[in-house]
Amino acid sequence: MTNITDAATVPLLDLQSEYTPLRDEILAAIARVCDSQQFILGAEVEQLEADLARRIGVRHAIGVSSGTDALLVSMMALGIGAGDEVITPTFSFVATAGSVARLGATPVFVDVDPVTMMIDPEAVRRALTPRTRAIVPVHLFGLCADMDSLAKVAQARDVPIVEDAAQALGATDRDRQAGTLGRLGCFSFFPTKNLGAFGDAGLVTTNDDALGEKVRLLRNHGASPKYHHPMLGGNFRLDALQAAVLRVKLPHLNAWNDRRRQNAAIYTELFTAAGLTVHVTLPRELPQRHHIYHQYVVRVPNRDRVRAHLAARGVGTEVYYPVPFHRQPCFAAVVQDSEAFPHADAAAREVLALPIFPGLTRDQQQHVVSCVAEAVR
Ligand SMILES: *Cc1c(COP(=O)(O)O)cnc(C)c1O
């Protein structure tokens, strides 16, 4: 329960500073659910779905059990299975491609853009085959992927795009929200995401009425009505307790995302003033794309040494992600040439996530930058 304000230690993430001011309200919401004894789906989930649909500006927002299950159920709704190919970036969290493989389909990995570290639309074009049934861009670290270019590539073959927007609730491309840029959008409310539940939770978004209805049925065993199963789904339901917690937190999301953006601007100022930008590549903002900084990821040579130095000085960091899909043992069967993804390999070697959470103080950021300076000079 320590509230860290001391600049000498800086955690990667401090969830206490987000929880403490909302504690009474959250506990009251949890008590409301307990008093109702209604734990699965129901009014809390419906209210959250309505709130999120409005927030994102999408026709259907369907609460599910996790971001991973959002991806899985979205691909089930598209009818993806054995013999199908789904294109994903090779640099992401395992669930992006894992959900494809779990359905018996083949994940087809493509390299990333060397600057954004996100899926390279030209590489997607080269990877398309008559078997391609979906493309899954990842809005990595809270910035939208290059959806215009991807849409052009996808349209030529009429392939649906499923957004892995797990890190991107509130990110926009011009005036369009992440989760409305493809056929389906998949969000995660894992506790460390910008909007975090008190356990696992996720969301699927779509403007397609038929797909929305299908996801709704699939998340609840494909039942319609109860105990009648026109299709086979699973248990991908969102808990009422999680929905109640998320409803308390959702109104604060914009302010939290703004704080993350302010912290990013402060890092830019501090790293620049310290003359460190020759040693450290800072995250790039892109015109018209609103970055919500789920993570603040810099690139440094000798990353592991820098990370160890920061750890010794009390600064929490993380590596998202140290091993791209094409080097994961679980995907070995689908990889033909593990040397074919040089930009993802370079990213995996150099990325380092620094603390960026909303309650971070300027003094803490100054400490982080000083420690980086000691390590790279
Ligand atoms: C967090 C995350 C997921 C998975 O979400 P869970 O809710 O943890 O299942 C999927 N993809 C990306 C890119 C993520 O960051």
Side-chain angles (χ1 to χ4, degrees):
M1 279 290 288
T2 49
N3 202 350
I4 294 151
T5 48
D6 174 9
T9 50
V10 188
L12 178 64
L13 175 65
D14 175 19
L15 285 174
Q16 288 291 347
S17 63
E18 194 178 288
Y19 168 61
T20 306
L22 298 177
R23 186 174 179 275
D24 292 346
E25 217 183 319
I26 288 173
L27 293 182
I30 289 172
R32 192 172 68 225
V33 175
C34 294
D35 290 347
S36 79
Q37 288 293 298
Q38 162 79 59
F39 296 114
I40 307 290
L41 299 177
E44 294 286 347
V45 172
E46 284 163 23
Q47 273 299 330
L48 176 70
E49 289 176 342
D51 293 348
L52 283 165
R54 200 173 319 111
R55 170 73 178 72
I56 295 165
V58 71
R59 286 175 62 79
H60 306 277
I62 303 134
V64 294
S65 33
S66 69
T68 302
D69 287 341
L71 288 159
L72 190 69
V73 77
S74 291
M75 293 198 232
M76 289 172 77
L78 290 171
I80 288 166
D84 296 334
E85 294 177 355
V86 175
I87 299 174
T88 79
T90 186
F91 188 63
S92 179
F93 180 63
V94 65
T96 310
S99 49
V100 176
R102 285 170 61 196
L103 291 172
T106 305
V108 174
F109 305 139
V110 299
D111 205 359
V112 294
D113 177 275
V115 174
T116 67
M117 298 182 275
M118 289 192 279
I119 196 165
D120 173 0
E122 272 314 305
V124 172
R125 191 195 301 281
R126 291 192 296 272
L128 283 169
T129 78
R131 289 169 180 248
T132 307
R133 293 290 311 279
I135 301 166
V136 188
V138 180
H139 304 318
L140 198 65
F141 308 141
L143 182 66
C144 286
D146 181 357
M147 295 302 288
D148 283 351
S149 303
L150 285 171
K152 282 190 197 114
V153 170
Q155 260 158 25
R157 301 277 195 107
D158 199 25
V159 176
I161 295 178
V162 178
E163 301 170 72
D164 184 338
Q167 305 184 357
L169 182 57
T172 59
D173 181 344
R174 276 152 296 173
D175 55 347
R176 300 178 308 159
Q177 292 278 333
T180 67
L181 304 167
R183 192 79 55 89
L184 294 139
C186 302
F187 292 92
S188 166
F189 305 121
F190 186 78
T192 63
K193 298 283 156 75
N194 288 28
L195 180 65
F198 282 14
D200 284 304
L203 186 81
V204 176
T205 53
T206 185
N207 280 315
D208 182 316
D209 294 344
L211 280 174
E213 182 58 20
K214 211 166 167 194
V215 168
R216 252 178 217 293
L217 297 187
L218 287 169
R219 79 167 166 184
N220 194 18
H221 298 290
S224 174
K226 213 175 178 182
Y227 306 125
H228 296 258
H229 303 273
M231 61 187 114
L232 187 59
N235 178 353
F236 308 125
R237 296 177 302 235
L238 175 62
D239 285 351
L241 279 167
Q242 300 305 339
V245 171
L246 289 167
R247 282 182 65 200
V248 175
K249 294 177 91 175
L250 179 60
H252 302 276
L253 178 66
N254 280 345
W256 288 332
N257 284 351
D258 286 348
R259 282 296 302 273
R260 287 171 182 271
R261 288 181 53 74
Q262 282 162 19
N263 293 345
I266 291 171
Y267 270 136
T268 301
E269 176 199 322
L270 295 176
F271 275 116
T272 306
L276 288 172
T277 52
V278 288
H279 305 284
V280 182
T281 306
L282 305 183
R284 188 86 70 84
E285 297 231 3
L286 294 169
Q288 318 281 359
R289 283 188 242 175
H290 185 76
H291 199 325
I292 53 137
Y293 289 99
H294 169 57
Q295 299 294 347
Y296 185 87
V297 174
V298 301
R299 296 179 66 157
V300 278
N302 301 315
R303 186 263 324 277
D304 293 337
R305 211 197 43 184
V306 174
R307 185 168 191 224
H309 179 77
L310 289 172
R313 299 279 271 112
V315 175
T317 62
E318 190 50 272
V319 174
Y320 306 107
Y321 296 92
V323 184
F325 296 162
H326 63 274
R327 297 191 185 278
Q328 294 285 2
C330 65
F331 296 130
V334 301
V335 176
Q336 276 153 16
D337 178 5
S338 64
E339 301 303 315
F341 311 93
H343 300 311
D345 282 336
R349 270 194 311 273
E350 296 173 3
V351 287
L352 187 64
L354 303 178
I356 189 74
F357 62 90
L360 192 67
T361 66
R362 192 185 172 95
D363 285 351
Q364 287 177 313
Q365 291 190 268
Q366 182 63 68
H367 180 66
V368 172
V369 173
S370 304
C371 294
V372 171
E374 292 160 7
V376 300
R377 280 216 179 99

